[in-house]
Amino acid sequence: MKKLICIVIILSATLHVQAQYCESQNMLDQLIWDDEKLNIYIDTRIDFQNLIEQGKLDNMSFVGQTVRIWLFGEVVPGIRYRIRHRINKLSETSLRDNYSGATDHAFLAFDIGSNWTITAGKQPVQIGTFENDYNGADVYLGTMVFNDFAGSATGVNVAYKFARQIMDVQVVNSDNSQFANTDYQNKALAINVLWIGDLFNKVI
């Protein structure tokens, strides 16, 4: 009798584990095959560069400028995510936000109604230069602002949409050494305000 009870318990546990495995497999299949929930992009740029000094060719090679992997999608309607990681960048870890320096984006965006969106995590800094709208692999020469400021930082962004306009208010870590007083080196925050939209082009 004891042997029979043990066998029944073992079979029940095995079936339970198998059911959990099948359920996980089904969820994984749904995630992989649903383009709205999971998109995987690989983004790269390779340049042919040569260095000529005093009329002589010193160096000539193909250089991989950037290799990025993107993961983005919608978990459920109104909750979106994005992860962008640079494979060819050293993965040093920032002391403040604990993200790898190679991770550009790692955030969740929550839509509240049709007008409000709250974004939390490592995200693009809303500084208003054209690089925010361009793929980084397509930017051959960035602006002075883009070169002097970190393009991504960890924080919270609140966006309000109205009449084809978007107003963004963002609070993120500020780690730019040229502005950091030693007293605020590890506790400085930046507040950014960005307006995106039309001024005279058929404003409704």
Side-chain angles (χ1 to χ4, degrees):
M1 186 64 180
K2 291 183 179 179
K3 291 182 178 180
L4 180 61
I5 292 174
C6 290
I7 292 172
V8 170
I9 291 173
I10 292 171
L11 286 175
S12 299
T14 303
L15 290 173
H16 180 67
V17 170
Q18 183 66 25
Q20 282 189 339
Y21 173 77
C22 292
E23 184 180 352
S24 299
Q25 284 293 102
N26 291 337
M27 291 177 64
L28 182 62
D29 290 340
Q30 291 175 9
L31 187 64
I32 290 176
W33 295 110
D34 191 338
D35 290 340
E36 294 182 356
K37 292 184 178 179
L38 176 62
N39 295 274
I40 302 175
Y41 286 0
I42 295 178
D43 179 28
T44 186
R45 191 184 93 216
I46 300 173
D47 294 347
F48 179 71
Q49 297 181 351
N50 57 62
L51 177 63
I52 299 176
E53 290 187 357
Q54 298 179 352
K56 294 183 179 181
L57 181 64
D58 186 58
N59 188 11
M60 181 171 59
S61 62
F62 293 97
V63 179
Q65 293 295 336
T66 180
V67 182
R68 292 185 177 100
I69 184 168
W70 300 61
L71 303 174
F72 63 93
E74 190 172 43
V75 181
V76 295
I79 301 179
R80 291 164 284 113
Y81 69 92
R82 182 194 294 175
I83 299 172
R84 190 178 82 182
H85 187 80
R86 283 178 284 175
I87 299 174
N88 65 329
K89 179 177 173 60
L90 294 176
S91 298
E92 70 272 12
T93 301
S94 171
L95 295 178
R96 286 194 70 188
D97 61 15
N98 205 32
Y99 280 112
S100 165
T103 302
D104 295 327
H105 301 161
F107 64 78
L108 285 171
F110 303 89
D111 293 330
I112 303 175
S114 58
N115 298 102
W116 294 90
T117 299
I118 298 176
T119 304
K122 194 167 186 180
Q123 55 193 276
V125 178
Q126 304 286 22
I127 52 179
T129 60
F130 73 87
E131 292 94 349
N132 282 338
D133 294 327
Y134 278 73
N135 186 337
D138 296 332
V139 179
Y140 181 74
L141 185 63
T143 62
M144 291 181 65
V145 173
F146 184 76
N147 291 330
D148 291 339
F149 287 84
S152 301
T154 303
V156 177
N157 182 79
V158 178
Y160 177 65
K161 303 174 185 177
F162 64 98
R164 296 175 59 184
Q165 317 297 313
I166 303 175
M167 292 297 299
D168 283 278
V169 177
Q170 183 184 59
V171 180
V172 293
N173 290 339
S174 180
D175 296 321
N176 293 92
S177 57
Q178 65 267 42
F179 300 114
N181 184 295
T182 53
D183 294 335
Y184 301 98
Q185 188 172 4
N186 295 319
K187 50 191 174 184
L189 299 175
I191 300 176
N192 305 304
V193 178
L194 180 67
W195 167 45
I196 305 172
D198 297 327
L199 184 58
F200 299 113
N201 184 16
K202 297 180 182 178
V203 177
I204 299 175

